[in-house]
Coordinates of all heavy atoms in Angstrom, one line a residue:
M1 N 11.2 -60.4 105.3 CA 11.2 -61.9 105.4 C 10.0 -62.4 106.2 O 9.7 -61.8 107.3 CB 12.6 -62.3 106.1 CG 12.9 -63.8 105.9 SD 14.5 -64.2 106.2 CE 14.3 -64.7 108.0
N2 N 9.4 -63.5 105.7 CA 8.3 -64.0 106.4 C 8.7 -65.1 107.5 O 9.6 -65.8 107.3 CB 7.3 -64.7 105.4 CG 6.5 -63.7 104.7 OD1 6.5 -62.6 104.9 ND2 5.8 -64.2 103.7
H3 N 7.9 -65.0 108.5 CA 8.1 -66.0 109.6 C 6.8 -66.7 109.8 O 5.7 -66.1 109.6 CB 8.6 -65.4 110.9 CG 10.0 -64.7 110.8 ND1 11.1 -65.5 110.8 CD2 10.2 -63.4 110.5 CE1 12.1 -64.6 110.7 NE2 11.6 -63.5 110.5
T4 N 6.8 -67.9 110.3 CA 5.6 -68.6 110.7 C 5.2 -68.1 112.0 O 5.9 -68.0 113.0 CB 5.8 -70.1 110.7 OG1 6.2 -70.5 109.5 CG2 4.6 -70.8 111.2
F5 N 3.9 -67.8 112.2 CA 3.3 -67.3 113.5 C 3.3 -68.4 114.5 O 2.5 -69.5 114.3 CB 1.9 -66.7 113.3 CG 1.2 -66.4 114.4 CD1 1.6 -65.3 115.3 CD2 0.1 -67.1 114.9 CE1 0.9 -65.0 116.5 CE2 -0.6 -66.8 116.0 CZ -0.1 -65.8 116.9
S6 N 3.9 -68.3 115.7 CA 3.9 -69.2 116.6 C 3.6 -68.4 118.1 O 4.0 -67.2 118.2 CB 5.2 -70.0 116.8 OG 5.5 -70.7 115.6
V7 N 3.2 -69.1 119.1 CA 3.0 -68.5 120.4 C 3.6 -69.5 121.4 O 3.6 -70.7 121.3 CB 1.5 -68.4 120.7 CG1 1.0 -67.2 119.9 CG2 0.7 -69.6 120.6
K8 N 4.1 -68.9 122.6 CA 4.6 -69.7 123.7 C 3.5 -69.9 124.6 O 2.8 -68.9 125.2 CB 5.8 -68.8 124.3 CG 6.5 -69.8 125.3 CD 7.7 -68.9 125.8 CE 8.5 -69.7 126.7 NZ 9.7 -69.0 127.1
L9 N 3.2 -71.1 124.9 CA 2.0 -71.5 125.9 C 2.5 -71.3 127.2 O 3.8 -71.3 127.6 CB 1.6 -72.9 125.6 CG 1.1 -73.2 124.1 CD1 0.7 -74.6 124.0 CD2 -0.2 -72.3 123.8
P10 N 1.6 -71.2 128.3 CA 2.0 -71.1 129.6 C 3.0 -72.2 130.1 O 3.8 -72.2 131.0 CB 0.6 -71.2 130.4 CG -0.3 -70.6 129.5 CD 0.2 -71.2 128.0
S11 N 2.8 -73.4 129.4 CA 3.8 -74.5 129.8 C 5.1 -74.3 129.3 O 6.0 -75.0 129.6 CB 3.2 -75.9 129.1 OG 3.3 -75.7 127.7
G12 N 5.3 -73.3 128.4 CA 6.6 -73.0 127.8 C 6.8 -73.7 126.4 O 7.6 -73.4 125.7
E13 N 5.8 -74.6 126.1 CA 5.8 -75.1 124.8 C 5.5 -74.1 123.7 O 4.6 -73.2 123.9 CB 4.6 -76.4 124.7 CG 4.6 -77.1 123.5 CD 3.3 -78.0 123.5 OE1 2.7 -78.1 124.5 OE2 3.0 -78.4 122.4
I14 N 6.1 -74.3 122.6 CA 5.9 -73.4 121.5 C 4.8 -74.0 120.6 O 5.0 -75.2 120.1 CB 7.1 -73.1 120.6 CG1 8.3 -72.6 121.4 CG2 6.8 -72.2 119.4 CD1 8.0 -71.2 121.9
W15 N 3.7 -73.3 120.2 CA 2.6 -73.8 119.5 C 2.5 -72.9 118.3 O 2.4 -71.8 118.3 CB 1.3 -73.8 120.3 CG 0.2 -74.4 119.6 CD1 0.0 -75.5 118.9 CD2 -1.1 -73.7 119.4 NE1 -1.1 -75.7 118.3 CE2 -1.9 -74.5 118.6 CE3 -1.6 -72.5 119.8 CZ2 -3.2 -74.2 118.2 CZ3 -2.9 -72.2 119.4 CH2 -3.7 -73.0 118.7
T16 N 2.4 -73.6 117.1 CA 2.2 -73.0 115.8 C 0.6 -73.2 115.4 O 0.5 -74.4 114.9 CB 3.1 -73.5 114.7 OG1 4.5 -73.2 115.3 CG2 2.9 -72.7 113.4
P17 N -0.2 -72.4 115.5 CA -1.6 -72.7 115.1 C -1.6 -72.8 113.6 O -0.9 -72.1 112.9 CB -2.4 -71.5 115.5 CG -1.4 -70.4 116.0 CD -0.1 -71.1 116.1
T18 N -2.5 -73.7 113.1 CA -2.6 -73.9 111.6 C -4.1 -73.6 111.3 O -5.0 -74.2 111.9 CB -2.1 -75.2 111.1 OG1 -2.8 -76.3 111.8 CG2 -0.7 -75.3 111.3
F19 N -4.2 -72.7 110.4 CA -5.6 -72.3 110.0 C -6.3 -73.0 108.9 O -5.5 -73.4 108.0 CB -5.5 -70.7 109.8 CG -5.0 -70.0 111.0 CD1 -3.6 -69.8 111.1 CD2 -5.8 -69.4 111.9 CE1 -3.1 -69.1 112.2 CE2 -5.3 -68.8 113.0 CZ -4.0 -68.6 113.1
V20 N -7.6 -73.0 108.9 CA -8.3 -73.8 107.9 C -8.0 -73.1 106.5 O -8.1 -72.0 106.3 CB -9.8 -74.0 108.2 CG1 -10.5 -72.6 108.1 CG2 -10.4 -75.1 107.3
S21 N -7.5 -74.0 105.5 CA -7.3 -73.3 104.2 C -8.1 -73.9 103.1 O -8.8 -73.2 102.3 CB -5.8 -73.5 103.7 OG -5.5 -74.8 103.8
T22 N -8.4 -75.4 103.0 CA -9.2 -75.9 102.1 C -10.0 -77.0 102.7 O -9.6 -77.6 103.6 CB -8.4 -76.4 100.8 OG1 -7.5 -77.4 101.2 CG2 -7.7 -75.3 100.1
L23 N -11.2 -77.3 102.1 CA -12.1 -78.4 102.4 C -12.4 -79.1 101.1 O -13.0 -78.5 100.2 CB -13.3 -77.9 103.1 CG -14.3 -78.7 103.9 CD1 -15.2 -77.8 104.6 CD2 -15.0 -79.7 103.0
D24 N -12.1 -80.4 101.0 CA -12.3 -81.1 99.8 C -13.9 -81.6 99.7 O -14.2 -82.4 100.3 CB -11.5 -82.3 99.8 CG -11.5 -83.2 98.4 OD1 -12.5 -82.9 97.7 OD2 -10.6 -83.8 98.2
G25 N -14.5 -80.8 99.0 CA -16.0 -81.1 98.8 C -16.4 -82.4 98.1 O -17.4 -82.9 98.1
Q26 N -15.4 -82.9 97.4 CA -15.6 -84.2 96.8 C -15.5 -85.4 97.8 O -16.3 -86.3 97.6 CB -14.5 -84.5 95.7 CG -14.4 -83.5 94.5 CD -15.6 -83.6 93.8 OE1 -16.1 -84.6 93.3 NE2 -16.0 -82.3 93.4
K27 N -14.8 -85.2 98.8 CA -14.6 -86.3 99.8 C -15.7 -86.1 100.9 O -16.0 -87.0 101.5 CB -13.2 -86.2 100.5 CG -12.1 -86.8 99.5 CD -10.9 -87.2 100.4 CE -9.9 -86.1 100.5 NZ -8.7 -86.3 101.2
C28 N -16.2 -84.9 101.1 CA -17.1 -84.6 102.2 C -18.3 -85.3 102.1 O -19.0 -85.3 101.0 CB -17.3 -83.0 102.3 SG -18.5 -82.5 103.5
I29 N -18.8 -85.9 103.2 CA -20.1 -86.6 103.2 C -21.2 -85.8 103.9 O -22.3 -86.3 104.1 CB -20.0 -88.0 103.8 CG1 -19.5 -87.9 105.3 CG2 -19.1 -88.9 102.9 CD1 -19.4 -89.3 106.0
G30 N -20.9 -84.6 104.3 CA -21.9 -83.7 104.8 C -22.4 -84.1 106.2 O -23.5 -83.8 106.6
C31 N -21.6 -84.9 107.0 CA -22.0 -85.4 108.3 C -22.2 -84.4 109.4 O -22.9 -84.6 110.3 CB -20.9 -86.5 108.7 SG -19.3 -85.8 109.3
G32 N -21.6 -83.3 109.2 CA -21.7 -82.1 110.2 C -20.9 -82.2 111.4 O -21.0 -81.4 112.4
R33 N -20.0 -83.2 111.6 CA -19.3 -83.3 112.7 C -18.3 -82.2 113.0 O -18.1 -81.6 114.1 CB -18.3 -84.6 112.7 CG -19.2 -85.8 112.9 CD -18.3 -87.1 112.8 NE -19.1 -88.2 112.4 CZ -18.7 -89.4 112.1 NH1 -17.4 -89.7 112.3 NH2 -19.6 -90.3 111.7
C34 N -17.7 -81.7 111.9 CA -16.7 -80.5 112.0 C -17.5 -79.3 112.4 O -17.0 -78.5 113.3 CB -16.1 -80.3 110.7 SG -17.2 -80.1 109.3
F35 N -18.8 -79.2 111.9 CA -19.5 -77.9 112.3 C -19.8 -77.8 113.8 O -19.8 -76.9 114.4 CB -20.8 -78.0 111.5 CG -21.7 -76.9 111.8 CD1 -21.6 -75.6 111.1 CD2 -22.8 -77.0 112.7 CE1 -22.5 -74.6 111.3 CE2 -23.7 -76.0 112.9 CZ -23.5 -74.8 112.2
R36 N -20.1 -79.1 114.3 CA -20.4 -79.2 115.7 C -19.2 -78.8 116.6 O -19.5 -78.4 117.8 CB -21.0 -80.5 116.0 CG -22.5 -80.7 115.5 CD -23.2 -81.8 116.1 NE -22.7 -83.1 115.6 CZ -23.0 -83.7 114.5 NH1 -23.9 -83.1 113.7 NH2 -22.5 -84.8 114.2
V37 N -18.0 -79.1 116.2 CA -16.9 -78.8 117.2 C -16.3 -77.4 116.9 O -15.5 -77.0 117.7 CB -15.7 -79.8 117.0 CG1 -16.3 -81.3 117.4 CG2 -15.2 -79.9 115.6
C38 N -16.6 -76.7 115.8 CA -16.0 -75.4 115.5 C -16.8 -74.4 116.4 O -18.0 -74.2 116.3 CB -16.1 -75.1 114.1 SG -15.4 -73.4 113.8
S39 N -16.1 -73.7 117.2 CA -16.7 -72.7 118.1 C -16.7 -71.3 117.5 O -17.1 -70.4 118.2 CB -15.9 -72.7 119.5 OG -14.5 -72.3 119.2
R40 N -16.2 -71.2 116.3 CA -16.0 -69.8 115.8 C -16.9 -69.5 114.6 O -16.8 -68.4 113.9 CB -14.5 -69.8 115.3 CG -13.6 -70.0 116.4 CD -13.5 -68.8 117.3 NE -13.0 -67.6 116.6 CZ -13.0 -66.4 117.0 NH1 -13.4 -66.1 118.3 NH2 -12.5 -65.3 116.4
G41 N -17.9 -70.4 114.2 CA -18.7 -69.9 113.1 C -18.1 -69.8 111.8 O -18.5 -69.0 110.9
V42 N -17.1 -70.7 111.6 CA -16.3 -70.6 110.3 C -17.0 -71.5 109.2 O -16.9 -71.1 108.0 CB -14.9 -71.3 110.5 CG1 -14.0 -71.3 109.2 CG2 -14.1 -70.4 111.5
L43 N -17.7 -72.4 109.7 CA -18.2 -73.5 108.6 C -19.7 -73.4 108.4 O -20.5 -72.9 109.3 CB -17.9 -74.9 109.1 CG -16.4 -75.1 109.5 CD1 -16.2 -76.5 110.3 CD2 -15.6 -75.0 108.2
Q44 N -20.2 -73.8 107.3 CA -21.6 -73.7 106.9 C -22.0 -74.9 106.0 O -21.2 -75.2 105.0 CB -21.9 -72.4 106.3 CG -23.3 -72.1 106.1 CD -23.6 -70.7 105.7 OE1 -22.9 -69.7 106.2 NE2 -24.5 -70.4 104.7
L45 N -22.9 -75.5 106.2 CA -23.4 -76.7 105.4 C -24.1 -76.1 104.2 O -24.9 -75.1 104.3 CB -24.4 -77.5 106.1 CG -24.6 -79.1 105.8 CD1 -23.2 -79.8 105.7 CD2 -25.5 -79.7 106.7
A46 N -23.9 -76.7 103.0 CA -24.5 -76.2 101.8 C -25.1 -77.4 101.0 O -24.6 -78.6 101.2 CB -23.6 -75.5 100.9
G47 N -26.0 -77.2 100.2 CA -26.5 -78.2 99.2 C -25.7 -78.2 98.0 O -25.1 -77.2 97.6
V48 N -25.7 -79.3 97.3 CA -25.0 -79.4 96.0 C -26.0 -79.8 94.9 O -26.6 -80.9 95.1 CB -23.7 -80.3 96.0 CG1 -23.1 -80.3 94.5 CG2 -22.8 -80.0 97.0
S49 N -26.2 -79.0 93.9 CA -27.2 -79.3 92.9 C -26.6 -80.3 91.9 O -25.5 -80.7 92.0 CB -27.6 -78.0 92.1 OG -26.5 -77.6 91.3
E50 N -27.5 -80.8 91.0 CA -27.1 -81.8 90.0 C -25.9 -81.4 89.2 O -25.0 -82.2 89.0 CB -28.2 -82.1 89.1 CG -28.4 -83.5 88.6 CD -29.7 -83.7 87.9 OE1 -30.8 -83.0 88.3 OE2 -29.7 -84.6 87.0
D51 N -25.8 -80.1 88.8 CA -24.6 -79.6 88.1 C -23.5 -79.1 88.9 O -22.6 -78.5 88.4 CB -25.1 -78.5 87.2 CG -25.8 -77.3 87.9 OD1 -25.7 -77.3 89.1 OD2 -26.2 -76.5 87.2
G52 N -23.5 -79.5 90.2 CA -22.3 -79.2 91.1 C -22.3 -77.8 91.7 O -21.4 -77.5 92.4
A53 N -23.4 -77.0 91.5 CA -23.5 -75.7 92.1 C -23.8 -75.8 93.6 O -24.6 -76.6 94.1 CB -24.4 -74.9 91.4
L54 N -23.3 -74.8 94.5 CA -23.7 -74.9 95.8 C -24.8 -74.0 96.1 O -25.0 -73.0 95.5 CB -22.5 -74.2 96.7 CG -21.2 -75.0 96.8 CD1 -20.1 -74.2 97.4 CD2 -21.4 -76.4 97.4
I55 N -25.8 -74.6 96.9 CA -27.1 -74.0 97.3 C -27.2 -73.7 98.7 O -27.0 -74.6 99.4 CB -28.3 -74.8 96.8 CG1 -28.1 -75.3 95.3 CG2 -29.6 -74.1 97.0 CD1 -28.9 -76.5 95.0
P56 N -27.6 -72.4 99.1 CA -27.8 -72.2 100.5 C -28.9 -73.1 101.0 O -29.8 -73.4 100.2 CB -28.2 -70.7 100.6 CG -27.9 -70.2 99.3 CD -27.9 -71.3 98.3
L57 N -28.9 -73.6 102.3 CA -29.9 -74.4 102.8 C -31.0 -73.8 103.6 O -31.7 -74.4 104.5 CB -29.3 -75.6 103.6 CG -28.4 -76.5 102.9 CD1 -27.7 -77.6 103.8 CD2 -29.1 -77.2 101.8
D58 N -31.2 -72.5 103.4 CA -32.1 -71.7 104.1 C -33.5 -72.3 104.3 O -34.1 -72.5 105.3 CB -32.3 -70.3 103.7 CG -31.0 -69.6 103.7 OD1 -30.1 -70.0 104.5 OD2 -30.9 -68.5 103.0
D59 N -34.1 -72.6 103.1 CA -35.5 -73.1 103.1 C -35.5 -74.7 103.3 O -36.6 -75.3 103.2 CB -36.3 -72.7 101.9 CG -35.4 -73.0 100.6 OD1 -34.5 -73.7 100.7 OD2 -36.0 -72.5 99.6
D60 N -34.4 -75.3 103.2 CA -34.2 -76.8 103.3 C -35.2 -77.5 102.4 O -35.8 -78.6 102.7 CB -34.5 -77.2 104.7 CG -33.6 -78.3 105.2 OD1 -32.6 -78.5 104.6 OD2 -33.9 -79.0 106.3
D61 N -35.2 -77.1 101.1 CA -36.0 -77.7 100.1 C -35.1 -78.9 99.5 O -34.4 -78.7 98.7 CB -36.4 -76.7 99.0 CG -37.3 -77.4 97.9 OD1 -37.5 -78.6 98.0 OD2 -37.7 -76.6 97.1
E62 N -35.4 -80.1 100.0 CA -34.6 -81.2 99.6 C -34.7 -81.5 98.1 O -33.9 -82.3 97.6 CB -34.9 -82.5 100.4 CG -34.7 -82.2 101.9 CD -34.6 -83.4 102.7 OE1 -34.5 -84.5 102.2 OE2 -34.4 -83.4 104.0
D63 N -35.6 -81.0 97.4 CA -35.8 -81.4 95.9 C -34.6 -80.7 95.1 O -34.4 -81.1 94.1 CB -37.1 -80.9 95.4 CG -38.2 -81.7 95.9 OD1 -37.9 -82.8 96.5 OD2 -39.3 -81.3 95.9
E64 N -34.1 -79.6 95.7 CA -33.2 -78.7 94.9 C -31.7 -79.3 95.0 O -30.9 -78.8 94.1 CB -33.3 -77.4 95.5 CG -34.5 -76.7 95.2 CD -34.5 -75.2 95.3 OE1 -33.5 -74.7 95.5 OE2 -35.5 -74.6 94.9
Y65 N -31.3 -80.2 95.9 CA -30.0 -80.6 95.9 C -29.8 -82.1 96.0 O -30.7 -82.8 96.4 CB -29.2 -79.9 97.1 CG -29.8 -80.2 98.4 CD1 -29.5 -81.2 99.1 CD2 -30.6 -79.3 99.0 CE1 -30.0 -81.5 100.5 CE2 -31.1 -79.5 100.3 CZ -30.9 -80.6 101.0 OH -31.4 -80.9 102.3
Q66 N -28.7 -82.5 95.5 CA -28.5 -84.1 95.4 C -27.8 -84.5 96.7 O -28.1 -85.7 97.2 CB -27.4 -84.3 94.3 CG -27.9 -83.8 93.0 CD -28.3 -85.0 92.1 OE1 -27.5 -86.0 91.9 NE2 -29.6 -85.1 91.7
K67 N -26.9 -83.7 97.3 CA -26.3 -84.2 98.6 C -25.8 -82.9 99.3 O -26.0 -81.8 98.8 CB -25.1 -84.9 98.3 CG -23.8 -84.2 97.6 CD -22.6 -85.1 97.6 CE -21.4 -84.2 97.3 NZ -20.2 -84.9 97.6
K68 N -25.3 -82.9 100.5 CA -24.9 -81.8 101.3 C -23.4 -81.9 101.5 O -22.9 -83.0 101.7 CB -25.5 -81.8 102.7 CG -27.0 -81.6 102.7 CD -27.6 -81.6 104.1 CE -29.0 -81.5 104.1 NZ -29.6 -81.6 105.5
V69 N -22.7 -80.7 101.5 CA -21.4 -80.7 101.7 C -21.1 -79.5 102.7 O -21.8 -78.5 102.7 CB -20.4 -80.5 100.6 CG1 -20.4 -81.7 99.6 CG2 -20.7 -79.2 99.8
M70 N -20.0 -79.7 103.5 CA -19.6 -78.5 104.4 C -18.8 -77.5 103.5 O -18.0 -77.9 102.6 CB -18.7 -79.0 105.5 CG -18.6 -78.1 106.7 SD -20.2 -77.6 107.4 CE -20.8 -79.1 108.1
T71 N -18.9 -76.2 103.9 CA -18.2 -75.2 103.1 C -17.5 -74.3 104.2 O -17.9 -74.1 105.3 CB -19.0 -74.3 102.2 OG1 -20.0 -73.7 103.1 CG2 -19.7 -75.2 101.2
I72 N -16.4 -73.6 103.8 CA -15.7 -72.6 104.6 C -16.4 -71.4 104.3 O -16.0 -70.7 103.3 CB -14.1 -72.6 104.3 CG1 -13.6 -74.0 104.6 CG2 -13.5 -71.6 105.2 CD1 -12.1 -74.1 104.1
A73 N -17.2 -70.8 105.2 CA -17.9 -69.7 104.9 C -17.3 -68.4 105.5 O -17.4 -67.4 104.9 CB -19.3 -69.7 105.5
H74 N -16.5 -68.5 106.6 CA -15.8 -67.4 107.2 C -14.4 -67.8 107.7 O -14.2 -68.0 108.9 CB -16.7 -66.9 108.3 CG -17.9 -66.3 107.9 ND1 -18.0 -65.1 107.2 CD2 -19.2 -66.8 108.0 CE1 -19.3 -64.8 107.0 NE2 -20.1 -65.8 107.5
A75 N -13.5 -68.0 106.8 CA -12.1 -68.5 107.0 C -11.5 -67.4 108.0 O -10.6 -67.9 108.7 CB -11.4 -68.7 105.8
E76 N -11.9 -66.2 107.8 CA -11.3 -65.1 108.6 C -11.5 -65.2 110.1 O -10.9 -64.7 111.0 CB -11.7 -63.7 108.2 CG -13.1 -63.3 108.5 CD -14.2 -63.9 107.6 OE1 -13.8 -64.7 106.9 OE2 -15.3 -63.5 107.9
L77 N -12.5 -66.1 110.5 CA -12.9 -66.3 111.9 C -12.1 -67.4 112.6 O -12.1 -67.6 113.8 CB -14.3 -66.4 112.1 CG -15.2 -65.3 111.7 CD1 -16.7 -65.6 111.8 CD2 -14.9 -64.0 112.4
C78 N -11.3 -68.1 111.8 CA -10.6 -69.5 112.2 C -9.5 -69.0 113.2 O -8.7 -68.1 113.0 CB -10.1 -70.2 111.1 SG -9.2 -71.6 111.6
I79 N -9.5 -69.8 114.4 CA -8.3 -69.5 115.3 C -7.3 -70.6 115.2 O -6.4 -70.7 116.1 CB -8.9 -69.4 116.7 CG1 -9.7 -70.7 117.2 CG2 -9.7 -68.2 116.9 CD1 -10.0 -70.8 118.6
G80 N -7.4 -71.5 114.3 CA -6.4 -72.5 114.1 C -6.3 -73.7 115.1 O -5.2 -74.1 115.4
C81 N -7.5 -74.0 115.6 CA -7.5 -75.1 116.7 C -7.3 -76.4 116.1 O -7.0 -77.4 116.8 CB -8.7 -75.0 117.5 SG -10.2 -75.5 116.7
T82 N -7.7 -76.7 114.8 CA -7.7 -77.9 114.1 C -8.7 -79.0 114.6 O -8.5 -80.2 114.3 CB -6.3 -78.6 113.9 OG1 -5.8 -79.0 115.2 CG2 -5.3 -77.6 113.3
A83 N -9.7 -78.6 115.4 CA -10.6 -79.6 115.9 C -11.4 -80.2 114.8 O -11.8 -81.3 114.7 CB -11.6 -78.9 116.9
C84 N -11.6 -79.3 113.7 CA -12.5 -79.8 112.5 C -11.7 -80.9 111.8 O -12.3 -81.9 111.5 CB -12.8 -78.6 111.6 SG -11.2 -77.7 111.2
A85 N -10.5 -80.7 111.7 CA -9.6 -81.7 110.9 C -9.6 -83.0 111.7 O -9.5 -84.1 111.1 CB -8.2 -81.2 110.6
R86 N -9.4 -82.8 113.0 CA -9.2 -84.1 113.8 C -10.4 -85.0 113.9 O -10.4 -86.1 114.0 CB -8.9 -83.7 115.2 CG -7.3 -83.3 115.3 CD -6.7 -82.9 116.7 NE -6.9 -81.6 116.9 CZ -7.6 -81.1 118.0 NH1 -8.1 -81.8 118.8 NH2 -7.7 -79.7 118.1
I87 N -11.7 -84.3 113.8 CA -12.8 -85.1 113.9 C -13.4 -85.6 112.6 O -14.2 -86.5 112.5 CB -14.0 -84.3 114.7 CG1 -14.9 -85.2 115.3 CG2 -14.7 -83.3 113.7 CD1 -15.7 -84.6 116.5
C88 N -12.9 -84.9 111.5 CA -13.4 -85.4 110.2 C -13.0 -86.8 109.8 O -11.9 -87.2 109.7 CB -12.9 -84.4 109.0 SG -13.3 -84.8 107.4
P89 N -14.1 -87.7 109.5 CA -13.8 -89.1 109.2 C -13.2 -89.2 107.7 O -12.7 -90.3 107.4 CB -15.1 -89.8 109.4 CG -16.1 -88.6 109.0 CD -15.5 -87.4 109.5
K90 N -13.4 -88.2 106.9 CA -12.9 -88.3 105.5 C -11.7 -87.6 105.2 O -11.2 -87.5 104.0 CB -14.1 -87.9 104.6 CG -15.4 -88.6 104.9 CD -15.3 -90.0 104.6 CE -15.3 -90.4 103.1 NZ -15.3 -91.8 102.8
K91 N -11.1 -87.0 106.2 CA -9.8 -86.2 106.0 C -9.9 -85.2 104.8 O -9.2 -85.0 103.9 CB -8.6 -87.3 105.6 CG -8.3 -88.2 106.7 CD -7.0 -88.8 106.6 CE -6.6 -89.9 107.7 NZ -7.5 -89.8 108.9
C92 N -11.0 -84.4 105.0 CA -11.2 -83.4 104.0 C -10.4 -82.0 104.1 O -10.3 -81.4 103.2 CB -12.7 -82.9 104.1 SG -13.8 -84.2 103.7
Y93 N -9.8 -81.8 105.3 CA -9.3 -80.5 105.5 C -7.8 -80.5 105.2 O -7.1 -81.3 105.5 CB -9.5 -80.2 107.0 CG -10.9 -79.7 107.2 CD1 -11.8 -80.6 107.8 CD2 -11.3 -78.4 107.0 CE1 -13.1 -80.3 108.1 CE2 -12.6 -78.0 107.3 CZ -13.5 -78.9 107.8 OH -14.8 -78.5 108.1
R94 N -7.4 -79.2 104.8 CA -6.0 -78.8 104.9 C -5.8 -77.6 105.7 O -6.7 -76.7 105.6 CB -5.4 -78.5 103.5 CG -5.1 -79.9 102.8 CD -4.6 -79.5 101.3 NE -4.4 -80.7 100.5 CZ -3.4 -81.6 100.7 NH1 -2.5 -81.3 101.5 NH2 -3.4 -82.7 100.0
H95 N -4.8 -77.5 106.6 CA -4.6 -76.3 107.3 C -3.2 -75.8 106.9 O -2.3 -76.5 106.6 CB -4.7 -76.7 108.8 CG -6.1 -76.8 109.4 ND1 -7.0 -77.8 108.9 CD2 -6.7 -76.1 110.3 CE1 -8.1 -77.6 109.6 NE2 -8.0 -76.6 110.4
A96 N -3.0 -74.5 107.3 CA -1.7 -73.9 107.1 C -1.4 -72.9 108.1 O -2.2 -72.2 108.7 CB -1.6 -73.2 105.7
A97 N -0.2 -72.8 108.5 CA 0.3 -71.7 109.5 C 0.2 -70.4 108.8 O 0.3 -70.2 107.6 CB 1.7 -72.1 109.9
A98 N 0.0 -69.4 109.7 CA 0.0 -68.0 109.2 C 1.4 -67.5 109.1 O 2.3 -67.9 109.9 CB -0.9 -67.2 110.2
Q99 N 1.6 -66.6 108.2 CA 2.9 -65.8 108.0 C 2.9 -64.6 108.6 O 1.8 -63.9 108.4 CB 3.3 -65.7 106.6 CG 3.5 -67.2 105.8 CD 4.5 -67.9 106.2 OE1 5.6 -67.5 106.4 NE2 4.3 -69.2 106.6
V100 N 3.8 -64.1 109.3 CA 3.8 -62.7 109.9 C 5.1 -62.0 109.4 O 6.1 -62.6 108.9 CB 3.9 -62.8 111.4 CG1 2.5 -63.3 112.0 CG2 5.0 -63.6 112.1
Ligands
SF4_1 S1 -9.5 -74.9 113.0 FE1 -11.0 -74.6 114.7 S2 -11.8 -72.5 114.5 FE2 -10.8 -73.2 112.5 S3 -12.5 -74.0 111.3 FE3 -11.5 -75.7 112.3 S4 -12.7 -76.0 114.3 FE4 -13.2 -74.0 113.4
SF4_2 S1 -16.5 -83.8 109.2 FE1 -15.5 -84.1 107.1 S2 -17.0 -85.3 106.0 FE2 -18.0 -84.5 107.9 S3 -19.1 -82.6 107.2 FE3 -17.1 -82.0 108.1 S4 -15.8 -82.0 106.2 FE4 -17.5 -83.2 105.7

């Protein structure tokens, strides 16, 4: 049987971390606020080409992309703090509790 992963904090409060699951690239404006608050290296900015393909921004060639969006590059590094969701002005994020 699956249970939701929760921890007891020093205060005695029970906390259920919720981990990043999806990021809505249609709503994202590429502002980078979530990237700046994530301490875990989960997120990465990418370019979006005319046909909707994601392009790495290594060489920062602005001719190749129409706009920038944030992507979840390393979901496995997320610690479930939800700082990204709280700072996002466009409500792009969905988080989910882990099952144990
Ligand atoms: S929940 Fe926290 S660790 Fe996970 S992606 Fe968002 S800011 Fe980073
Ligand atoms: S804070 Fe929201 S709108 Fe800004 S880059 Fe992150 S996901 Fe996109």
Side-chain angles (χ1 to χ4, degrees):
M1 198 168 92
N2 281 352
H3 296 277
T4 300
F5 170 68
S6 299
V7 288
K8 191 174 182 181
L9 299 177
S11 65
E13 184 189 347
I14 302 297
W15 180 51
T16 303
T18 56
F19 300 87
V20 70
S21 57
T22 61
L23 193 171
D24 187 338
Q26 298 296 318
K27 288 200 267 179
C28 177
I29 54 172
C31 68
R33 288 180 205 177
C34 54
F35 180 86
R36 287 194 289 276
V37 298
C38 180
S39 60
R40 298 287 298 175
V42 175
L43 306 171
Q44 193 170 317
L45 204 56
V48 182
S49 70
E50 213 168 329
D51 58 7
L54 292 175
I55 307 165
L57 293 179
D58 297 340
D59 53 6
D60 220 15
D61 183 353
E62 296 201 4
D63 293 343
E64 293 199 356
Y65 57 85
Q66 299 255 305
K67 66 168 196 167
K68 293 179 186 177
V69 291
M70 198 58 65
T71 63
I72 302 170
H74 293 288
E76 76 281 6
L77 299 179
C78 177
I79 55 169
C81 70
T82 66
C84 52
R86 279 180 277 125
I87 205 157
C88 176
K90 304 298 283 182
K91 300 198 182 338
C92 295
Y93 283 97
R94 281 183 188 278
H95 283 61
Q99 300 295 313
V100 290

